[in-house]
Amino acid sequence: MLTVFELALRSMRQNVKHYYLYFFALNFSMSLYFVFTSLQHDQAVQNMTYPSVDFFAGFQIAGVMLIIIVGIFSISANGIFLRRRSREIGLYQLIGLSKGWVARYLIIENILIGLGALLAAIIFGALISRLFVLILLNLLDLEGIVEIGFSVPAALKTLMVYLLIIVITSIQMIWRLYRSTLIDLFQADKRPDLDKPPKAVTSAIFALLGLALIGYGYELSGHINKQLFVNALLMLGSIVAGTFLLFRITIRWCFYQFRKHKDGHLGLTNSLSVAPLMHHTKANANSLTLITLLSAMTITMISMAYSFYYSVEQETRRDLPYDFMFENERQEAQSFKKDLEKEGIDVKHHVVEAVLTMGTILNPNDESDKFEESLLWLPAEQLKQTGADINIPPDGEVILYNAGASLAGDLDEQSKRYPTKIELEQHGQTVMYTLRTLMERNIMNLDAPGNQLLVSEATMDEIAKEMAGTPDYKKIRFDTYQVPDKEELSKASSLYNAKYVSDDQLTYDFYTQYKEVLQTTGLLIFIAAFLGLVFLISTGSILYFKQMTEAEQEKQSFKTLRQLGFDVNMIMKGIIRKQAIVFLLPLTIGMLHSIFAIKAASFMIRSNTMFPASIAMTIYTVIYFVFALLTIRYYRNIVKTLCHNHHL
C-alpha cells in the first residue's frame, strides 16, 4: 500500500511533461527575485554610483512586483492544473478516500514541486548573480570588479515568498476540493455547451460598446497631459472595460456572424479553429483580458525605459549645452581654467555678456494671461562664437528657447501662441518686441536665470541701454567651457565638483547630470527588461496550460476525425489556425494598446520612441511564437498518438 507521500512522488513523475514549463517559469521568477534581493542588500554597486540613484528602493519595488507576478501566475496555473486533474481527484473519492486525504495528497505534491523550484531558484540565482551585476554595470557605464557572495538575507526572503505561494495555492486547492461535488469533478473537463447563439441585439450593442470604449481610450491618449490624473484614469478604465467586453462578447459575436455567413457549413479547418474558440472565448474572457493588459503594460514599460536610456545624452545636452558654466563669477572661472590647464585638459572657454530684465510675454489667444516674468536676453553673435547651432535673428525679433516646453503642455497648442509680442516697461514707456517662435532646447545651461531669449547683439545693446536703471535689471557675464574629450571631461567634472560646487547654490555640469540620469535610467531598463521577461514567460505559460487543457477536452473529436479518414496534416491545419488566433489576438491587441499608451506617455520624453518600441515588440513576438510552437507540438503529439492507436 502506497503512502500519501509515495503517491505524490509517483504522480509528479507521471505528470512531469505537464509540469516542466510551470517549473521553469516558477524557477526563473524566483531566481530573479533572489538576484534582485541580493543586489538590494549589496553595498559594493551602490558605493560606485551617485547618491541620487536609489538602488535600494528600485530593487525593493522590483521585488514586490515580482511577488505579485509570481502570485498571479501560480494561482492561475494551479487553477488550470486542478481543473485538468478533476477526474483523478474524483476517482480518489469514488474509491473511498476522504477529502482530507486528497487535500493532504495535493498539498504534499504542491510543496514538493515548490521546494524543488525554490532550491533550483536559489542555486541558479546564486550562479547568475555575477552575470546580472556585469549587465547592470554595463548599463550604468561603470567600470570595476564587484564580487557578489551568497546573500543569506536574499535566500531567507525568497523562502518567505515560497511559503506565501504554498499557503495561497494550498488554500485554493482546499477551497476547490471542498466546494466541488463528485459530479462537478467528473464533468469539469467537459466542453461547455455554448452552441446557443448570443442574443443578436444585446450582443451587437455590447460588442460595439467594447470597441467604442477602446476607441475612446485611444482618443484620450493624444491629449492625456491636459488634466493628467483624470484623463489617465479615464483612459485606463475605458481600455480595461473595452478589452474585457472585446473578449467576452465582441470576438464571440464576430465568430457567430462568421458562422452565420457560412450557413453553418464551416468545413474541417474552421471546425477545428473557429468552433472551439466560440465555445471557449466567453469562458476565457478574464484570462485573455489579463494577458492582453499585461502584454500592453510590459511592452509600454520596456519601450519607455529603453527610450529614456538611449536618449540620455541627447536629452541632457538639450538642457545643458555647455559642459560647465559660471555666472558672474570671474575669479572662480579663471581659477577653474587654470586648474584644467594644470591637469593638461584641453578646454574651449568663451565669455557671453547677457542682460536680465523683467517683462511680459503676451498670449494672443488669451489677453488676460498677462504675467511679468524674468527674461534673459542672449546675443546670437557671441553664442555663435562658442559653437552654438543657431541663426542670428533680425534686429527687433526674438526667439524663445525652452528645453522643458513639452513638459508644460502640448507643443502644437503652444505653437499657436507664436508669433507674439514681448512687452517691456522702461521708465513709464512701453516697448514691444516680436517673439517669432519657440525652440525646444536651451541655449544657456539650465541653471541660468529667466526665460532664455535669443536676439541680435544690436537688439540686446538697445535693450540694455533702455532698461538700465529699471527694477531687477542686471548685466550677466557667463563663462562657458567645453571639453571635447570624454575621458578628460570626466576628470574635469570631478575637479569642478570637488572645488567649485557648494551646497547652498544649485549648479549643474553636463557630465555629472548625464551620469546621474544614465544610472537612473540604466537601473530602470534593467528592472523593466527582466520584469517584462517574467511577465512574458508567465502569460505565455498560462496560455500554453489553457491550450493543453483544451487539447485534452478535444481528444475525442480528433479520434472521431481520424476514424472518418482524416490524416494528421489535415487535422493539424485547423489546430494551427486556432493557435494562431489564440496567441495573436492578445498579442496584437496588447501591442495596439501599448502603441497608444506610449503615445500618451511620450510627453515625458522628447526623443523618438518608435525604434525602442519596435525592438520590444519584436522580442515579445518571438517569445510568444516559441510558446505557440510548444502548444502546436503538444497538439501534434496527441493527434499522432490517437492515429497510432487507431491503426492498432
Side-chain angles (χ1 to χ4, degrees):
M1 181 77 178
L2 290 171
T3 64
V4 182
F5 184 78
E6 287 169 338
L7 192 64
L9 279 175
R10 194 173 76 167
S11 173
M12 281 174 59
R13 283 197 297 271
Q14 288 174 344
N15 287 303
V16 70
K17 64 178 181 180
H18 303 312
Y19 285 132
Y20 76 96
L21 200 57
Y22 173 76
F23 187 83
F24 168 74
L26 193 60
N27 179 28
F28 182 74
S29 306
M30 299 279 271
S31 295
L32 268 189
Y33 180 78
F34 177 80
V35 170
F36 281 166
T37 314
S38 297
L39 288 169
Q40 182 185 326
H41 291 282
D42 189 82
Q43 283 296 316
V45 177
Q46 294 184 39
N47 293 338
M48 295 171 73
T49 60
Y50 288 92
S52 62
V53 184
D54 195 343
F55 273 75
F56 185 86
F59 285 118
Q60 198 169 36
I61 292 165
V64 171
M65 288 188 74
L66 260 174
I67 293 169
I68 294 167
I69 299 164
V70 173
I72 292 169
F73 168 71
S74 300
I75 292 165
S76 302
N78 196 42
I80 295 166
F81 290 146
L82 284 172
R83 185 180 178 84
R84 284 201 65 204
R85 298 177 65 187
S86 293
R87 184 176 287 273
E88 177 195 340
I89 294 165
L91 282 170
Y92 288 138
Q93 292 185 49
L94 203 61
I95 62 172
L97 297 172
S98 67
K99 285 189 175 183
W101 186 96
V102 178
R104 282 201 308 278
Y105 158 67
L106 291 173
I107 290 166
I108 288 169
E109 191 179 291
N110 189 35
I111 290 169
L112 289 173
I113 293 169
L115 196 58
L118 173 71
L119 293 172
I122 291 174
I123 293 165
F124 184 63
L127 291 173
I128 62 170
S129 290
R130 175 81 180 141
L131 173 65
F132 274 69
V133 170
L134 290 173
I135 293 169
L136 182 60
L137 292 180
N138 188 50
L139 283 169
L140 304 186
D141 196 22
L142 293 171
E143 290 179 4
I145 297 170
V146 178
E147 291 297 332
I148 295 287
F150 183 81
S151 175
V152 176
L156 289 172
K157 280 190 175 181
T158 310
L159 175 64
M160 294 300 290
V161 172
Y162 155 74
L163 291 172
L164 179 67
I165 291 166
I166 292 297
V167 168
I168 292 168
T169 50
S170 296
I171 291 168
Q172 182 189 11
M173 286 172 172
I174 294 165
W175 171 259
R176 181 78 173 267
L177 183 65
Y178 277 91
R179 66 189 292 265
S180 299
T181 63
L182 268 177
I183 294 171
D184 293 334
L185 291 168
F186 279 104
Q187 291 186 342
D189 62 346
K190 299 287 183 192
R191 286 174 59 173
D193 183 18
L194 294 174
D195 284 335
K196 196 171 87 173
K199 292 176 183 175
V201 177
T202 311
S203 293
I205 291 168
F206 278 105
L208 292 171
L209 178 63
L211 294 173
L213 283 168
I214 292 172
Y216 176 65
Y218 287 174
E219 196 271 330
L220 274 176
S221 69
H223 43 84
I224 196 168
N225 53 343
K226 297 173 187 172
Q227 292 184 303
L228 181 61
F229 183 72
V230 175
N231 281 347
L233 279 180
L234 279 173
M235 177 186 161
L236 187 65
S238 62
I239 286 177
V240 170
T243 305
F244 177 74
L245 286 175
L246 185 74
F247 283 110
R248 180 85 177 176
I249 295 165
T250 310
I251 291 167
R252 184 164 169 257
W253 181 74
C254 290
F255 284 145
Y256 272 101
Q257 292 304 309
F258 174 75
R259 189 170 79 169
K260 193 177 175 184
H261 176 70
K262 292 274 185 180
D263 290 327
H265 304 298
L266 292 174
L268 177 66
T269 305
N270 287 329
S271 293
L272 289 170
S273 56
V274 175
L277 290 170
M278 286 164 65
H279 291 299
H280 292 291
T281 303
K282 188 176 179 182
N284 294 339
N286 292 346
S287 59
L288 287 173
T289 302
L290 182 66
I291 287 166
T292 301
L293 295 173
L294 284 177
S295 298
M297 188 180 79
T298 306
I299 293 168
T300 305
M301 181 174 70
I302 294 170
S303 299
M304 292 305 293
Y306 196 85
S307 300
F308 279 123
Y309 180 75
Y310 282 99
S311 62
V312 168
E313 189 167 358
Q314 183 186 343
E315 296 287 304
T316 310
R317 194 52 86 183
R318 282 183 195 236
D319 292 328
L320 303 163
Y322 300 103
D323 292 332
F324 306 96
M325 184 195 81
F326 289 85
E327 179 192 329
N328 283 346
E329 294 176 321
R330 190 176 294 196
Q331 284 186 336
E332 284 89 342
Q334 290 300 321
S335 171
F336 180 59
K337 189 180 179 184
K338 284 176 186 174
D339 288 343
L340 294 179
E341 287 168 352
K342 197 185 292 180
E343 292 290 328
I345 296 170
D346 181 34
V347 63
K348 292 174 182 174
H349 170 228
H350 291 94
V351 175
V352 177
E353 301 277 357
V355 167
L356 189 70
T357 70
M358 294 300 287
T360 305
I361 299 175
L362 302 178
N363 183 353
N365 305 319
D366 183 3
E367 289 183 12
S368 64
D369 183 12
K370 203 170 182 181
F371 299 101
E372 201 173 30
E373 47 197 322
S374 188
L375 306 174
L376 181 66
W377 306 84
L378 291 151
E381 289 87 346
Q382 291 182 37
L383 288 170
K384 227 169 165 41
Q385 287 176 6
T386 70
D389 180 23
I390 53 168
N391 294 317
I392 299 168
D395 288 351
E397 289 197 3
V398 187
I399 298 170
L400 172 63
Y401 282 78
N402 180 5
S406 62
L407 299 175
D410 188 354
L411 278 177
D412 291 334
E413 284 294 317
Q414 288 188 64
S415 66
K416 291 174 185 174
R417 292 178 56 171
Y418 306 100
T420 184
K421 297 286 183 184
I422 296 178
E423 194 175 87
L424 296 180
E425 291 287 337
Q426 45 190 36
H427 308 297
Q429 291 185 321
T430 303
V431 181
M432 309 283 269
Y433 290 91
T434 302
L435 177 53
R436 187 59 59 195
T437 188
L438 165 71
M439 303 293 283
E440 199 191 0
R441 62 188 174 95
N442 288 343
I443 43 170
M444 191 53 68
N445 281 9
L446 190 65
D447 45 333
N451 291 288
Q452 298 181 13
L453 304 173
L454 182 72
V455 290
S456 66
E457 198 157 12
T459 304
M460 191 196 75
D461 289 341
E462 180 189 309
I463 289 165
K465 189 177 176 184
E466 290 168 344
M467 296 295 287
T470 59
D472 300 302
Y473 169 80
K474 190 178 179 184
K475 277 194 168 184
I476 298 179
R477 171 193 165 108
F478 291 108
D479 284 88
T480 67
Y481 295 89
Q482 296 279 53
V483 179
D485 187 88
K486 241 186 177 179
E487 283 187 21
E488 289 187 344
L489 180 57
S490 172
K491 273 200 277 181
S493 177
S494 300
L495 198 151
Y496 176 80
N497 282 293
K499 196 171 175 183
Y500 300 96
V501 173
S502 58
D503 293 335
D504 59 339
Q505 193 177 1
L506 188 64
T507 53
Y508 298 94
D509 74 280
F510 172 79
Y511 186 78
T512 302
Q513 190 71 4
Y514 161 71
K515 289 290 281 186
E516 281 191 12
V517 179
L518 183 79
Q519 288 179 7
T520 303
T521 54
L523 178 64
L524 187 67
I525 197 172
F526 179 81
I527 291 170
F530 287 107
L531 279 181
L533 200 55
V534 174
F535 267 128
L536 179 52
I537 289 171
S538 301
T539 53
S541 297
I542 289 167
L543 263 181
Y544 174 74
F545 298 144
K546 279 190 169 292
Q547 290 310 298
M548 279 170 63
T549 305
E550 288 182 21
E552 295 295 329
Q553 291 171 355
E554 291 162 10
K555 262 185 180 180
Q556 189 57 47
S557 302
F558 302 147
K559 191 175 181 180
T560 306
L561 287 168
R562 185 62 192 127
Q563 287 168 347
L564 291 170
F566 293 101
D567 63 23
V568 175
N569 290 335
M570 291 169 77
I571 295 170
M572 285 307 299
K573 192 177 175 184
I575 289 168
I576 289 167
R577 183 183 289 186
K578 178 195 169 189
Q579 296 314 311
I581 297 169
V582 165
F583 280 91
L584 281 176
L585 262 178
L587 180 65
T588 307
I589 297 164
M591 281 184 177
L592 262 176
H593 289 355
S594 70
I595 288 166
F596 285 94
I598 291 164
K599 182 184 173 186
S602 61
F603 75 93
M604 294 188 291
I605 187 163
R606 295 164 290 195
S607 301
N608 190 358
T609 55
M610 190 183 290
F611 177 69
S614 302
I615 288 177
M617 287 178 186
T618 304
I619 294 168
Y620 218 84
T621 305
V622 168
I623 298 176
Y624 247 60
F625 183 68
V626 171
F627 279 107
L629 286 179
L630 285 171
T631 309
I632 290 165
R633 192 186 73 170
Y634 185 82
Y635 265 93
R636 184 178 283 277
N637 288 340
I638 284 178
V639 175
K640 283 176 102 172
T641 306
L642 289 171
C643 291
H644 178 69
N645 292 341
H646 171 69
H647 286 304
L648 290 175

